[in-house]
Amino acid sequence: GQATLIRHLQIRIEGPGKSNPDIQQALAKIPLKIRLRLQMSDYQQTKKILLDAAEKSGYLTAELSEHKILIDRKQHAADVVL
């Protein structure tokens, strides 16, 4: 079938880690990108990169308060929220 592409990607960092340079660098390295094919391995890797960066920066209780993928089957599009 036709590939499902990432239509929207929303990653929200809240709290004191929001401006942390290590976390900002991690955001630049995530494999999820708008208009690329949605792959679960990239989704899982993105979550791991973000949580690892938070832990490395001393935020030992960091968590993903929201993590979901909304699929629009008719448009072959995905909206990712982290």
Side-chain angles (χ1 to χ4, degrees):
Q2 188 174 347
T4 298
L5 303 181
I6 298 172
R7 176 174 54 194
H8 298 289
L9 176 61
Q10 177 184 346
I11 299 176
R12 187 173 53 234
I13 308 293
E14 297 176 341
K18 187 176 190 174
S19 58
N20 182 291
D22 291 331
I23 294 173
Q24 292 303 312
Q25 286 179 356
L27 280 169
K29 295 178 183 176
I30 62 170
L32 290 180
K33 305 285 183 206
I34 293 174
R35 291 188 293 277
L36 290 184
R37 181 182 185 150
L38 175 65
Q39 297 191 54
M40 288 308 296
S41 59
D42 289 345
Y43 176 71
Q44 297 298 336
Q45 183 66 18
T46 294
K47 294 192 306 182
K48 182 177 181 350
I49 287 170
L50 294 174
L51 288 173
D52 286 352
E55 185 176 324
K56 178 183 169 192
S57 297
Y59 303 103
L60 302 179
T61 60
E63 64 182 7
L64 298 171
S65 60
E66 187 172 19
H67 46 97
K68 62 185 175 183
I69 302 173
L70 304 171
I71 303 290
D72 181 337
R73 292 179 189 255
K74 290 181 182 178
Q75 298 293 320
H76 301 281
D79 300 332
V80 179
V81 179
L82 292 171

